[in-house]
Amino acid sequence: MTATLDRRSLLKSAALLGASAAFARPAAAQTSARVVVIGGGFAGATCARELKRGGVSVTLVEPNATYTACPFSNGVLAGLRPLSAQQFGYDALKADGITIGAQNATRVEPHAKRVTLADGATLDYDRLVLAPGIDLRFDVLPGYNEEAAQVMPHAWKAGAQTTLLRSQLETMEDGGTVVISAPANPFRCPPGPYERASLIAYYLKTQKPRAKLIILDAKDNFSKQTLFQNAWKALYPNLEWISLSSGGKVTEVDVKEKTLVTEFGKHKADVANVIPPQRAGLIAPLAGVADRSGWCPIDPVTFESKQQPEIHVIGDACIAGGMPKSAFSANAQAKVCAAAVLRLLRGEQAISPKLINTCYSLVAPDYGITIAGVYRPANGLLTDVEGAGGVSPLDAPASFRALEATYADAWFKTITSEVFG
Ligand code: FAD
């Protein structure tokens, strides 16, 4: 089988079946154990459901009644779909018998095995799963803080920020300049800034053809780079990418002047989308599971923290080696973690997993590209399985790109109905 065929069959199964970790569903735990899951995103909601199916008592702590998904939110920016298409509730999880703690978790006491919620209530646990996603770092880019994000939105957590950036794009005059600043690795969704640039460029091309788009990048390389750049050359002549070596790294922002400052000069924007550096959600350092990088080192077989026993960390918050921070990864990690937790609660050993990730990106509504990978534990990290996965072919007819766009759509429908439906 060739690498392309491997990739193709991976993509097909990913689109049809949704995210899947390569392991069987665990047998019931037959235990009165209590598991608390913090965070009801792709990672936490998946894990809570898998644990519940395994027979343990599960409390999911999540302050928001509605989850707003980031995947496909770049389509909202481009006016291709409403924000409501990104929103999901927790009724199906409640119907599963999962208790929802509709609060922020504010404290974790690993020795007492206790979580405190914002209203002061406490939850005791036998095992804790942390899935808090990311926090945006408002302390590292001079001039950029939470207030600045109201003028120069990040839109890297979907919701009000997505709506704000969309309305700025809508009100910008034809002939205006949009500037996107992309952070250094690691960050949530490595291809995300480039999909965003593509779909905003699509919007500008169709609605404001004299407008320009500049990506200021703190990197010289990015995910699916050649595929994106070839497509930009063909479709979006008004899109310019400035790499780290060419002076793309933003070192400061001036909100009043709507200007992004780099080592090489200044870029005045009509619309500025600043995607700042990130770290694991605040509850992770509070629980003592984040290291100095701001992310959480884990055992790649069980997702148990390397810093606090009996606390597991999944999704964007964890350091997953070669696995990118994606919803697909979060869902796959959640399944592996739940299976491991159930085995550990029964006093059994966890089984070494294989995990899959596929990231779809839309360059235009009918132009999809993908990257897929398979990962397994090696030397304490999740490591790429060589020869598995790959990216879309560089030379492909429009019909192929259109097919990949339909795979992307099928994947989003499948994963959201699996996690929240
Ligand atoms: P989240 O989805 O952020 O969920 C974390 C949850 O934890 C939140 O609901 C939050 O309210 C809750 N929480 C945080 N702290 C606490 C606390 N103290 N107490 C209680 N609850 C708490 N991925 C893909 O696979 N494919 C894509 O096409 C894709 N596109 C993307 C496009 C964009 C523009 C962006 C920004 C991201 C994209 N992603 C994509 C990445 C994907 O959104 C994330 O990787 C995914 O959401 C991670 O899931 P998570 O559960 O770890 O975190």
Side-chain angles (χ1 to χ4, degrees), residues 137-172:
R137 295 200 60 172
F138 289 115
D139 57 343
V140 284
L141 182 59
Y144 199 68
N145 53 27
E146 278 188 87
E147 249 174 52
Q150 295 311 310
V151 181
M152 298 177 161
H154 52 77
W156 219 239
K157 287 190 180 190
Q161 280 274 306
T162 315
T163 310
L164 177 62
L165 183 53
R166 169 67 190 154
S167 68
Q168 291 186 353
L169 290 166
E170 275 184 293
T171 50
M172 186 185 82

Side-chain angles (χ1 to χ4, degrees), residues 202-370:
Y202 172 82
Y203 167 68
L204 298 177
K205 183 178 170 176
T206 49
Q207 305 294 324
K208 305 186 180 185
R210 291 190 296 115
K212 260 181 43 182
L213 190 151
I214 299 170
I215 309 169
L216 297 174
D217 210 328
K219 303 178 289 305
D220 279 327
N221 303 103
F222 60 87
S223 178
K224 293 181 263 192
Q225 182 164 354
T226 311
L227 285 163
F228 273 116
Q229 288 183 318
N230 286 354
W232 293 342
K233 228 181 268 165
L235 300 175
Y236 307 126
N238 291 355
L239 189 162
E240 184 187 3
W241 174 67
I242 303 179
S243 67
L244 170 68
S245 331
S246 309
K249 185 179 176 187
V250 175
T251 52
E252 193 181 336
V253 303
D254 183 338
V255 177
K256 259 200 195 137
E257 296 297 321
K258 264 220 180 151
T259 296
L260 294 93
V261 183
T262 71
E263 279 162 6
F264 288 41
K266 292 182 175 186
H267 296 266
K268 179 128 179 80
D270 294 290
V271 174
N273 170 214
V274 176
I275 305 167
Q278 297 146 36
R279 64 179 160 218
L282 177 63
I283 195 67
L286 293 179
V289 296
D291 70 13
R292 289 176 62 187
S293 71
W295 305 103
C296 306
I298 45 105
D299 176 296
V301 175
T302 59
F303 287 84
E304 188 165 2
S305 164
K306 286 188 174 167
Q307 302 191 174
Q308 297 288 356
E310 290 161 330
I311 300 182
H312 301 250
V313 188
I314 53 175
D316 283 358
C318 76
I319 300 173
M323 262 190 124
K325 297 186 187 301
S326 73
F328 199 122
S329 295
N331 173 266
Q333 292 166 5
K335 290 171 182 170
V336 168
C337 176
V341 166
L342 292 169
R343 290 186 74 92
L344 293 169
L345 287 170
R346 288 198 300 266
E348 297 167 10
Q349 266 207 328
I351 296 168
S352 188
K354 280 211 180 69
L355 297 103
I356 301 169
N357 175 65
T358 305
C359 281
Y360 301 89
S361 300
L362 292 180
V363 179
D366 60 351
Y367 191 129
I369 55 174
T370 56

